[in-house]
Amino acid sequence: MRTFANDHRRMKIQSAVFMVVASLLMGCSNRPPKEYVHDVLLPMTPVKNQGATELCWAYAMLATIETEHILRGDSVNLSPVYIGRMLEHHPSPNKEQPQRAMCQTALNLMARYGMVGYDVLPDDATPELSTPKWVFMLGAKYTPLEFAHSVCAPDEYLSLTCCPDSPYYKKIEVPVPDNWEHNRLLNIPLDTLKAHTDRALLHRHPVCWESRGHAMCIVGMAHDSLQQRYYIMKNSWGTDQPHGGLVYMPADEMWRDVIALYMTKEAYSLE
């Protein structure tokens, strides 16, 4: 498994895959936009904008939880900014990129510090906007921790990886700088990881995808006229992008760059 590069330029985020994703977003200026046929496209909350932060991992994980709730007949819109503020109480040892982390860290911070709604702490929240101490929803009053447990139960999600140099079907510590919490992920063969991911999407479960430098929520699958396969990603760079903020990533690129995937235990156990 490859480690993160540390010397890439910063634009919206410092991302080892920025140029790959940007090319997918912008395409070739003298070529008509590619047409995609959706094989599955899950519902989602509005695309958010991480701005100049490096919190893509929080945006991707929360987007996954939000779509999972929509498909259960529920609706929540969660605040990645809150995760960023809680990270300040749980500081990274990486002084050059203090906001970088694994998507598992978002789940860990929720379990420890709770969660609040996006409406009270949105993307453009300034430091002057205080962190809420209560969450009010449907006439009920929650602490952030109570609210977090209501939208994501402890151990609801599985963290998965593929590292051929380590034993399969064992939990391993993924050797990348963003894993400064030393989270351990279930190591499974790549073909098995692919099968679980496709099965989850076809049964209408989102999957959170983490690469060497960026994270997004997989909300669907598509193909083009040449039958090339794509995964449809919900990005966190706002809607002022092609496809309203979605990314159509070729399947081979998605699997080449994958570091970790996250899905519910229910999604993983589908036959």
Side-chain angles (χ1 to χ4, degrees):
M1 181 172 293
R2 295 163 292 183
T3 61
F4 284 94
N6 294 318
D7 56 352
H8 291 268
R9 293 185 305 165
R10 177 179 183 134
M11 184 177 284
K12 287 180 179 286
I13 60 170
Q14 290 179 337
S15 167
V17 295
F18 174 77
M19 296 305 296
V20 174
V21 176
S23 67
L24 290 168
L25 289 170
M26 300 307 296
C28 183
S29 59
N30 60 1
R31 186 179 300 169
K34 187 184 290 290
E35 293 186 2
Y36 302 97
V37 177
H38 291 167
D39 301 308
V40 59
L41 180 61
L42 305 180
M44 65 198 86
T45 55
V47 171
K48 297 180 174 68
N49 193 338
Q50 70 184 76
T53 73
E54 296 181 286
L55 298 173
C56 60
W57 50 275
Y59 279 82
M61 193 69 244
L62 297 187
T64 305
I65 295 171
E66 290 165 356
T67 287
E68 188 71 40
H69 271 264
I70 292 174
L71 293 166
R72 297 174 186 175
D74 192 8
S75 180
V76 293
N77 199 6
L78 307 174
S79 174
V81 172
Y82 182 84
I83 291 290
R85 291 189 180 185
M86 295 306 103
L87 186 65
E88 296 174 4
H89 302 292
H90 198 70
S92 163
N94 187 345
K95 295 181 180 180
E96 293 184 0
Q97 297 176 309
Q99 290 185 326
R100 300 285 311 188
M102 298 281 283
C103 297
Q104 177 68 48
T105 301
L107 297 173
N108 296 345
L109 291 173
M110 284 181 67
R112 184 168 181 175
Y113 299 109
M115 176 50 59
V116 302
Y118 179 81
D119 58 335
V120 296
L121 210 58
D123 291 337
D124 58 359
T126 62
E128 291 73 28
L129 184 60
S130 61
T131 303
K133 294 183 178 180
W134 300 99
V135 178
F136 298 91
M137 182 170 290
L138 301 177
K141 178 180 177 181
Y142 303 89
T143 66
L145 194 57
E146 290 170 339
F147 178 64
H149 289 172
S150 75
V151 299
C152 185
D155 299 323
E156 182 176 341
Y157 281 82
L158 280 176
S159 303
L160 306 168
T161 191
C162 177
C163 184
D165 295 331
S166 298
Y168 287 133
Y169 301 104
K170 302 287 185 180
K171 287 192 174 183
I172 65 169
E173 183 177 323
V174 179
V176 292
D178 284 4
N179 193 19
W180 47 265
E181 284 192 305
H182 306 289
N183 292 304
R184 298 177 66 81
L185 288 72
L186 181 63
N187 187 35
I188 61 178
L190 183 59
D191 286 347
T192 304
L193 191 60
K194 291 180 178 180
H196 278 288
T197 299
D198 290 354
R199 191 178 300 125
L201 292 166
L202 290 171
H203 285 80
R204 300 181 65 75
H205 289 276
V207 178
C208 187
W209 172 84
E210 185 166 29
S211 75
R212 293 172 294 159
H214 195 39
M216 295 184 280
C217 173
I218 311 175
V219 293
M221 295 187 290
H223 65 274
D224 62 19
S225 60
L226 299 178
Q227 299 303 310
Q228 183 174 1
R229 295 182 63 238
Y230 300 82
Y231 288 92
I232 308 172
M233 309 282 204
K234 181 184 180 184
N235 203 4
S236 52
W237 293 352
T239 57
D240 189 21
Q241 302 284 345
H243 310 296
L246 298 181
V247 173
Y248 289 77
M249 181 172 288
D252 57 347
E253 292 185 13
M254 196 279 271
W255 290 114
R256 181 193 66 204
D257 293 335
V258 69
I259 291 293
L261 293 173
Y262 307 82
M263 65 183 73
T264 63
K265 290 182 177 178
E266 178 184 356
Y268 183 80
S269 64
L270 291 167
E271 297 295 338

